[in-house]
């Protein structure tokens, strides 16, 4: 199967209300061009420099999503153009993104990343930490960032009962947060959850955005230079 037919097949399967982010990390420009030919415009990357280089090389109507752990000293590489940062997991990071967005005279859309998996290694806020962050934002003016919603990654397991429990807990927290902190903000509308092996379940649990990589582009080889 080609990248182009993989994209078309998946797009047919997704409800219109769900946005597909094609995760192209570690994949060459040629693969992204193929997906672009198939009409795909949202792409996700997890490294700031790789994202900058791909943005420079590819058509300017692509919407670039940053989905990896973002270090504050790398924000400058993506701030001028990034469409959505999925992985904000601290107040400090949000403040730094705001500063860079101000310099670029733009508003950067962000999601807060929640830790819903059982694995220790994954990044993200606990529900309590996220509440605290949102509380603290009530009293500061971060004029150049806009919180569009939440992102989460389920545990890497075949136990779909557990994965469903994790996605459902994030959806419930999303609904609660929207009511509590964003009652009059229609643009708090994005729940990014679901990857190649669990996107269908994520959609059933309320995802509005899925991040799919290997299903479209094939397995990644982390050892190879791209
Ligand atoms: C790599 C990655 C994905 C895509 O994973 P696949 O299993 O290849 O679909 C999605 N989200 C995040 C945050 C990732 O780092």
């Amino acid at each position: 199967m080609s990248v182009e037919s993989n994209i078309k097949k998946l797009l047919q399967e997704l409800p219109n209300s769900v946005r597909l982010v094609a995760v192209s990390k570690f994949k060459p420009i040629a693969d992204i061009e193929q997906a672009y030919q198939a009409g795909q415009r949202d792409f996700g990357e997890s490294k700031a420099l790789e994202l900058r280089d791909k943005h420079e090389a590819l058509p300017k109507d692509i919407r670039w999503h940053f989905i990896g752990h973002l270090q504050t000293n790398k924000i400058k590489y993506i701030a001028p153009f990034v469409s959505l940062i999925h992985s904000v997991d601290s107040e400090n990071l949000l403040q730094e993104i705001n500063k860079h967005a101000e310099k670029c005279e733009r508003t950067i859309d962000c999601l807060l990343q929640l830790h819903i998996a059982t694995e220790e290694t994954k990044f993200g806020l606990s529900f309590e930490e996220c509440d605290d962050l949102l509380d603290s934002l009530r009293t500061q003016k971060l004029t150049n960032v806009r919180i569009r919603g939440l992102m989460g990654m389920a545990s890497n397991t075949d136990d779909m009962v557990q994965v469903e429990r994790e996605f459902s807990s994030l959806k419930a927290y999303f609904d609660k947060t929207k009511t509590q902190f964003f009652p009059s903000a229609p643009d708090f509308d994005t729940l990014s959850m679901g990857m190649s092996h669990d996107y269908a379940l994520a959609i059933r649990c309320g995802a509005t955005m899925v991040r799919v990589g290997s299903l479209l582009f094939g397995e990644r080889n982390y050892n190879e230079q791209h």
Side-chain angles (χ1 to χ4, degrees), residues 113-125 152-159 162-163 166 195 197-198:
Q113 181 175 355
L114 276 299
H115 184 283
I116 55 170
T118 50
E119 288 107 346
E120 295 281 331
T121 53
K122 293 203 174 128
F123 295 102
L125 301 153
M153 283 167 93
S155 295
N156 186 9
T157 170
D158 292 331
D159 181 353
Q162 183 183 344
V163 172
E166 293 170 0
M195 307 171 29
H197 65 287
D198 57 16

Side-chain angles (χ1 to χ4, degrees), residues 23 25 46 67-68 151 153 194-197 211-215 220 222:
V23 175
K25 61 188 186 190
S46 61
I67 63 170
M151 183 273 246
M153 283 167 93
M195 307 171 29
S196 288
H197 65 287
R211 311 174 309 270
V212 179
S214 45
L215 187 71
R220 287 175 293 274
Y222 290 101

Side-chain angles (χ1 to χ4, degrees), residues 124-171:
L125 301 153
S126 68
F127 295 142
E128 293 75 18
E129 288 167 336
C130 191
D131 277 348
D132 290 346
L133 196 165
L134 290 168
D135 260 331
S136 145
L137 289 182
R138 291 183 197 268
T139 54
Q140 23 180 330
K141 281 209 180 63
L142 299 184
T143 51
N144 292 65
V145 289
R146 181 168 51 182
I147 296 180
R148 297 294 308 268
L150 308 176
M151 183 273 246
M153 283 167 93
S155 295
N156 186 9
T157 170
D158 292 331
D159 181 353
M160 284 297 146
V161 175
Q162 183 183 344
V163 172
E164 178 164 8
R165 199 182 311 126
E166 293 170 0
F167 283 151
S168 298
S169 74
L170 184 55
K171 165 65 171 157

Side-chain angles (χ1 to χ4, degrees), residues 15-127:
N16 286 334
S17 55
V18 175
R19 171 90 57 104
L20 170 64
V21 177
V23 175
S24 49
K25 61 188 186 190
F26 298 94
K27 292 293 175 182
I29 299 285
D31 284 10
I32 302 175
E33 282 170 338
Q34 278 190 45
Y36 184 90
Q37 289 307 321
Q40 181 63 24
R41 291 295 180 272
D42 290 273
F43 291 92
E45 291 283 336
S46 61
K47 299 250 187 287
L49 288 168
E50 183 175 351
L51 175 49
R52 180 198 62 184
D53 293 347
K54 284 175 171 173
H55 168 258
E56 276 171 15
L58 283 155
K60 293 298 169 278
D61 63 339
I62 288 179
R63 291 179 293 270
W64 290 104
H65 298 248
F66 190 83
I67 63 170
H69 181 63
L70 184 56
Q71 292 166 285
T72 50
N73 62 349
K74 303 275 172 67
I75 300 169
K76 58 178 179 282
Y77 299 120
I78 63 170
F81 65 87
V82 69
S83 172
L84 180 63
I85 299 177
H86 291 229
S87 45
V88 175
D89 62 359
S90 76
E91 190 171 332
N92 179 53
L93 180 57
L94 195 63
Q95 289 163 341
E96 291 298 317
I97 294 169
N98 186 63
K99 275 187 210 159
H100 284 277
E102 237 178 308
K103 272 188 217 154
C104 301
E105 297 181 4
R106 62 189 299 255
T107 300
I108 297 183
D109 281 350
C110 295
L111 304 179
L112 300 175
Q113 181 175 355
L114 276 299
H115 184 283
I116 55 170
T118 50
E119 288 107 346
E120 295 281 331
T121 53
K122 293 203 174 128
F123 295 102
L125 301 153
S126 68
F127 295 142

